[in-house]
Amino acid sequence: MFRLFRWVVCCLLVAGAGFADEPSAKPAGELYEAKVFKSPQNESQVVNYRLLIPDGYDAAPDSRFPLVLFLHGAGERGADNRRQLIHGAAQFSTPERRRKYACFVAAPQCPGGRWWSDSLEPVMELVKQLQSDYRIDSSRLYVTGLSMGGFGTFELTTRYPDVFAAAAPICGGGDPTQAKTLAALPLWVFHGDADRVVPVGFSRSMVKAIESAGGMPKYTEYPGVGHDCWTETYANPDFHAWLFAQKRAE
């Protein structure tokens, strides 16, 4: 069943192809540090990723900060450790956002020819390593992703339902038979109703299934908008306010 689901997803995606006084206004590519993570369990599993460190991190030694895990779309796969910043990531690194929502943002890059479903285990190992290396608030771990990353967001939270405080899948989809595992998770789902790459029915079916399982996901459907509904979503201050307000009970 799930193999068939993945095959459908692949076909669709292939067819579409505040602590410092003044945070830096550098481009995202300069603010996100290029890093490489090697799994201690399997050194052949390597994750190229970019990391945004909260502005003022060193000046606040007693503070812990939230972490946003950002999953890019299919077109940004590769090994250059740069393309994953093309869409969406810059919206977390604007001076205003860095002042208001000081946070870590980890943006791993999925290797070419692979899917997030193939790479989630080392990505979660990366998250654990970051928690060990930095002062990260474990009750404020968030995940969001667009297109292929939207599917990855649904699958990651399905596999690890007790890790994240909130999730925001954008123009993606998931397995409705697993909706029960997401019923207690704060979710905000986004999709354009004119999306010809990933049909809006993918998000609608997940939202309906989660509601049927007792969940209360937020859902925004953009009238007349195609595949790119992430630009409007990540630019929306209400989205950021909602995301960073979520906190997981420990």
Side-chain angles (χ1 to χ4, degrees):
M1 168 75 179
F2 189 67
R3 287 184 180 178
L4 176 60
F5 175 78
R6 256 186 84 185
W7 179 83
V8 172
V9 171
C10 291
C11 289
L12 288 167
L13 290 174
V14 169
F19 291 89
D21 291 336
E22 183 63 32
S24 172
K26 293 180 180 178
E30 295 181 30
L31 289 171
Y32 283 82
E33 299 178 15
K35 294 179 176 289
V36 178
F37 170 75
K38 290 185 178 180
S39 168
Q41 309 301 324
N42 182 354
E43 289 193 358
S44 66
Q45 289 187 323
V46 177
V47 180
N48 292 327
Y49 71 102
R50 291 288 185 133
L51 183 66
L52 179 71
I53 295 175
D55 202 83
Y57 177 75
D58 292 334
D62 297 324
S63 298
R64 290 190 172 271
F65 298 82
L67 168 68
V68 178
L69 179 63
F70 177 81
L71 303 181
H72 64 76
E76 292 76 67
R77 291 175 292 184
D80 65 348
N81 204 7
R82 180 177 296 273
R83 289 183 62 81
Q84 71 267 40
L85 300 180
I86 291 175
H87 301 297
Q91 288 292 347
F92 290 95
S93 63
T94 65
E96 179 183 0
R97 296 258 161 73
R98 297 193 76 197
R99 277 196 302 269
K100 195 168 185 178
Y101 306 112
C103 68
F104 289 91
V105 181
Q109 185 176 33
C110 187
R114 296 177 66 86
W115 305 91
W116 283 122
S117 56
D118 306 320
S119 307
L120 293 181
E121 186 175 334
V123 165
M124 283 305 297
E125 288 185 40
L126 166 62
V127 170
K128 291 179 182 178
Q129 187 62 53
L130 291 173
Q131 290 180 272
S132 175
D133 292 345
Y134 298 96
R135 298 189 311 276
I136 291 174
D137 186 346
S138 60
S139 69
R140 299 181 70 199
L141 303 180
Y142 311 117
V143 58
T144 184
L146 57 95
S147 194
M148 184 184 79
F151 285 93
T153 298
F154 271 122
E155 185 156 351
L156 187 66
T157 49
T158 298
R159 290 192 199 180
Y160 304 94
D162 300 319
V163 172
F164 296 95
I170 300 173
C171 57
D175 185 351
T177 67
Q178 302 298 313
K180 186 176 180 179
T181 63
L182 302 177
L185 178 69
L187 277 166
W188 195 346
V189 182
F190 299 86
H191 219 122
D193 72 358
D195 193 333
R196 295 185 178 181
V197 179
V198 180
V200 67
F202 277 87
S203 284
R204 289 175 180 172
S205 62
M206 282 302 296
V207 169
K208 182 178 180 179
I210 294 168
E211 289 175 339
S212 297
M216 295 185 292
K218 290 168 66 70
Y219 179 49
T220 295
E221 187 171 298
Y222 298 102
V225 173
H227 193 47
D228 178 8
C229 66
W230 55 80
T231 298
E232 184 171 350
T233 297
Y234 288 134
N236 184 353
D238 291 340
F239 164 73
H240 293 268
W242 172 86
L243 185 70
F244 291 103
Q246 307 307 314
K247 188 172 183 178
R248 184 172 62 84
E250 293 186 319

